[in-house]
Amino acid sequence: MIWLSGQIILHMIRRFTLNAPARRAAVLLAAMAGGASLAADAGHADNAPRSVAARQLAANVGAKALSAPAPARAAPTEPSAVAGLLAAHNEVRAKAKAPALDWSADLEREADGIVSKLVTGDCGQAFRPLREARKVANVYAGSAVVESGGARWAQTLTPKFVVGEWAAVRFSYDLKSGACTGSSGACESYARIIAPEARRVGCSMQMCPTKGQVWVCRYE
C-alpha cells in the first residue's frame, strides 16, 4: 500500500509541473512512501521531459542553421574615380528602352588595361593606339587646358559628360535596324551603350602626366 502511494505521488510529479518548494515536498513524501530510489526518480521526473525538449530544440535550431541559405554576395560597385558612370549609362539606355546594365569588375579590369596603355606618352592622342582601342571599347581622351604662360591643368569632366559625348552620335544610329546611318557612319560608341544584348559594363579612368585624362568603358 505504501509502495502504491509512492507510485501515485511519482505519477503526480510527472503529470504536473511543480515549483521548486512543491517539488521538494513531493520528493520527501515519495521517499517516505516508497524509499530513496523512488524519491530519486521523483526528483528527476519533471526534469526529464524538459531535457528531451531542450535537446529537440537544439536539434531544430541546428537543422535550421544548416539549411539556411548562404548570405548573398554583394554586387560589385564602381570605384570612386568613375562613380556615376553606371547611372549615366542606364539613363541613356532607359531612353532607348534597353534594360539597365550591372557593373562588372572583370570588365573594369579590362578597361583599366586599355587605359594603362593609352595614358603613357601623349595621353591617348596618338591616332593608331586610339583607333585600336575604340574597336573594342568606348574611349574618351580629354586633353589638358594649357594657359598662355604654358601652365597646364586638368579639365573637370563628369561621368555624365563623358557618356553624353559617346551618346552624341545617336543621330547616326537607326534604332530599328541597329545600324549606323548617314554619311559619317560613326555611331559605335552609342551603339555599344544601348545594345539590347549588353548586360554589364566596366570602366576605368586615369590622369596623364600631361594633365590630360583617358576614360574607357567595356561592355558585355
Side-chain angles (χ1 to χ4, degrees), residues 3 8 34 42 61 73 77 80 111 114 117 119 131 143 145 160 184 198-199 210 214:
W3 180 86
I8 293 174
V61 171
R73 183 177 297 179
T77 57
S80 58
I114 296 173
K117 294 177 181 179
V119 296
R131 183 184 62 182
S143 59
V145 175
K160 189 169 184 176
S184 66
R199 291 296 179 269
T210 57
V214 179

Side-chain angles (χ1 to χ4, degrees), residues 48-219:
R50 292 184 183 183
S51 298
V52 172
R55 288 195 298 271
Q56 185 60 50
L57 178 60
N60 291 341
V61 171
K64 288 182 179 179
L66 290 174
S67 62
R73 183 177 297 179
T77 57
E78 305 157 287
S80 58
V82 294
L85 272 175
L86 181 61
H89 275 88
N90 286 334
E91 184 177 340
V92 174
R93 286 177 67 85
K95 293 177 181 178
K97 309 299 182 184
L101 297 173
D102 293 322
W103 189 262
S104 167
D106 292 337
L107 293 176
E108 178 190 331
R109 284 189 288 271
E110 292 179 16
D112 193 58
I114 296 173
V115 166
S116 297
K117 294 177 181 179
L118 293 176
V119 296
T120 57
D122 54 13
C123 194
Q125 300 301 315
F127 175 73
R128 186 179 298 277
L130 192 59
R131 183 184 62 182
E132 292 302 312
R134 283 177 172 160
K135 289 180 180 180
V136 296
N138 279 359
V139 182
Y140 182 85
S143 59
V145 175
V146 183
E147 296 181 351
S148 56
R152 290 172 168 267
W153 48 276
Q155 298 185 63
T156 301
L157 303 179
T158 65
K160 189 169 184 176
F161 170 82
V162 172
V163 174
E165 289 294 293
W166 290 332
V169 295
R170 63 187 180 277
F171 300 109
S172 298
Y173 180 81
D174 181 55
L175 193 60
K176 291 183 178 180
S177 65
C180 295
T181 61
S183 57
S184 66
C187 67
E188 289 84 0
S189 59
Y190 177 70
R192 288 193 186 102
I193 293 175
I194 58 95
E197 67 276 9
R199 291 296 179 269
R200 303 188 304 157
V201 62
C203 307
S204 180
M205 186 278 287
Q206 289 187 36
M207 301 296 297
C208 304
T210 57
K211 301 300 183 181
Q213 53 196 290
V214 179
W215 300 65
V216 174
C217 284
R218 288 272 290 125
Y219 307 85

